Amino acid sequence: MKTRTSLLTAAVLVVGIAAGPSVLPAAASAPATSTAAPSPDTALEAAIAGLPDADATAALVRVGGEEGVWHGSSGVHDLRTGRAADPSARFRAGSVTKVFTAAVALQLAEEGRLDLDRSARSYLPDLIPASYEDVTVRQLLNHTHGIPAPDFPGTTVEEWYANRFRVHDPRDMVRSATSKEPEFAPGERQHYLNIGYTVAGLLIERVTHDSYERQVARRVLGPLGLRNTSFPGTNPRITGPHNHGYQTMRLDDGTTGLRDVSVWGATDAWAAGDIISTTADLERFTGALFRGRIVRGPLLEEMFTLPGVSAFRSGKPAAYAVGLSMKVLGGREVWGKTGGRWGYNAAIASTRGGSRTLVYSVNSTDAKGKDMSRTAENIMVATYGRP
């Protein structure tokens, strides 16, 4: 493998940040660095060039598989010092967590400890009310359950930031959600929400008599040697080396700019979105998953089987299977999962046969916005082609 440093010219981000009450000047961007074999992929290099900019402050990318290998990073570790982004940094992977949760649930199904066609209420009669008695385990995992989202305090990013250290109990979130009317009858529509995976995490705990986190560690992290992947619990900090995440919001002086949001609790997501990892660990996980080393046999097909229903409200065809979602890029099916936590976007993806895999972490400045990060979209298109 040939190693080189790209001499791409990077832009300067002219925007203020606030790590508290003070406003600091933005740093000059760091050059993109890459490892390529047998030759550099200029499309991927261009996709992450010029960071930091208004869309993102850093990006880490790993592409693998028989079609070629490419590793790249761009941007800065933090805007205060302006030093180059750490390519081995840990980051919040958001809803990529759902793939781990789904994998453990499917392992338990293989062992006969969970029945995908059995109702969730039969496992959690003390928590799931009769109004949701027909929701099955499979419907929790493929987002066709009809359970609405729980209530959370705040309606703006500034209000959510003010509540960033609030600790949310998964059982309380389920009670909040199931106290409402169903959005639709189970199995009739698909609505992507975290709540199904919150219930799935509790199901894992009920049937194993163990914590969700220990089960994932014992069944996935340990066997694969994912030493830099962890669950934060109630700790709002990312333990270990990490590049800072920033969010555009209203600052203390009334102006709009970037605030450092690296420290932010993730208990509202739990089994649906709280995992912390690295691109190297997620690449190893992706390869093992698609090769059938984590979920085996017919149950692996659950992760590649889209339910034959339409999406809630939009009416588009269902796009989510158990754990994974599918998009057609460059004329072929690409399966994977994206995730977003404040300051961080992440994704794992692969062609069905594993010929081209992708893992990225992008420190987006609006990671949970309605539009996909431009940098993340450029990475996906550079890897697989356009939709």
Side-chain angles (χ1 to χ4, degrees):
M1 182 177 293
K2 177 179 167 185
T3 303
R4 71 182 186 88
T5 300
S6 170
L7 299 179
L8 294 172
T9 302
V12 175
L13 177 65
V14 184
V15 66
I17 65 168
S22 60
V23 177
L24 305 173
S29 62
T33 60
S34 67
T35 302
S39 61
D41 189 321
T42 56
L44 277 163
E45 199 166 73
I48 62 172
L51 300 183
D53 63 13
D55 181 72
T57 59
L60 315 177
V61 182
R62 294 178 74 94
V63 173
E66 62 192 40
E67 295 181 17
V69 174
W70 191 90
H71 301 166
S73 64
S74 182
V76 295
H77 167 268
D78 67 280
L79 293 176
R80 183 189 296 270
T81 68
R83 63 185 174 92
D86 178 359
S88 302
R90 299 176 184 180
F91 51 84
R92 301 189 191 280
S95 286
V96 174
T97 307
K98 291 182 177 70
V99 190
F100 288 80
T101 304
V104 171
L106 291 174
Q107 285 186 3
L108 291 169
E110 182 183 18
E111 296 165 9
R113 301 169 76 177
L114 267 182
D115 185 340
L116 299 182
D117 294 314
R118 187 173 161 184
S119 73
R121 188 170 191 261
S122 68
Y123 293 101
L124 298 168
D126 52 324
L127 186 62
I128 308 296
S131 55
Y132 289 96
E133 64 183 354
D134 293 329
V135 173
T136 67
V137 176
R138 181 183 284 103
Q139 289 164 349
L140 293 174
L141 297 173
N142 68 15
H143 304 283
T144 61
H145 47 75
I147 305 173
D151 293 325
F152 293 108
T155 57
T156 66
V157 63
E158 292 81 13
E159 290 172 338
W160 295 322
Y161 178 77
N163 285 286
R164 67 194 182 280
F165 298 134
R166 182 186 289 254
V167 175
H168 301 271
D169 181 88
R171 291 165 183 79
D172 289 341
M173 290 191 286
V174 174
R175 292 186 187 99
S176 171
T178 57
S179 67
K180 307 174 188 179
E181 292 293 318
E183 292 185 327
F184 48 82
E188 288 194 356
R189 295 284 188 273
Q190 184 175 77
H191 189 189
Y192 178 83
L193 290 171
N194 281 348
I195 189 63
Y197 277 74
T198 303
V199 179
L202 293 171
L203 284 177
I204 290 169
E205 294 194 333
R206 180 62 57 91
V207 301
T208 63
H209 307 288
D210 195 9
S211 75
Y212 160 78
E213 294 85 354
R214 279 194 296 268
Q215 282 295 304
V216 177
R218 185 176 74 80
R219 293 170 175 273
V220 182
L221 307 189
L224 294 182
L226 307 184
R227 296 180 179 84
N228 292 307
T229 301
S230 62
F231 295 92
T234 58
N235 185 356
R237 298 182 179 276
I238 301 174
T239 302
H242 59 280
N243 300 317
H244 288 226
Y246 298 88
Q247 170 65 36
T248 302
M249 66 171 71
R250 189 177 64 254
L251 305 178
D252 296 338
D253 62 1
T255 64
T256 297
L258 295 182
R259 187 184 291 275
D260 191 326
V261 291
S262 309
V263 181
W264 193 314
T267 56
D268 61 310
W270 191 50
D274 71 346
I275 207 166
I276 292 170
S277 193
T278 64
T279 55
D281 271 13
L282 290 182
E283 183 177 59
R284 181 178 295 184
F285 171 73
T286 303
L289 181 71
F290 279 71
R291 289 194 300 271
R293 290 182 52 205
I294 302 174
V295 180
R296 297 175 176 83
L299 285 167
L300 179 60
E301 291 306 310
E302 294 282 345
M303 305 190 87
F304 301 100
T305 303
L306 298 174
V309 300
S310 59
F312 183 53
R313 295 195 180 101
S314 76
K316 295 179 180 179
Y320 298 93
V322 171
L324 300 176
S325 62
M326 190 276 286
K327 289 183 180 295
V328 176
L329 298 173
R332 57 182 172 175
E333 291 186 357
V334 176
W335 292 84
K337 189 71 192 73
T338 59
R341 293 295 301 176
W342 303 109
Y344 300 89
N345 280 133
I348 64 171
S350 179
T351 51
R352 181 65 177 85
S355 61
R356 193 160 180 82
T357 64
L358 166 68
V359 175
Y360 69 68
S361 168
V362 174
N363 294 64
S364 303
T365 57
D366 191 17
K368 294 178 74 66
K370 62 182 180 64
D371 296 322
M372 185 178 186
S373 158
R374 184 184 69 252
T375 304
E377 184 176 4
N378 290 343
I379 293 168
M380 193 72 73
V381 170
T383 305
Y384 294 109
R386 295 193 175 278

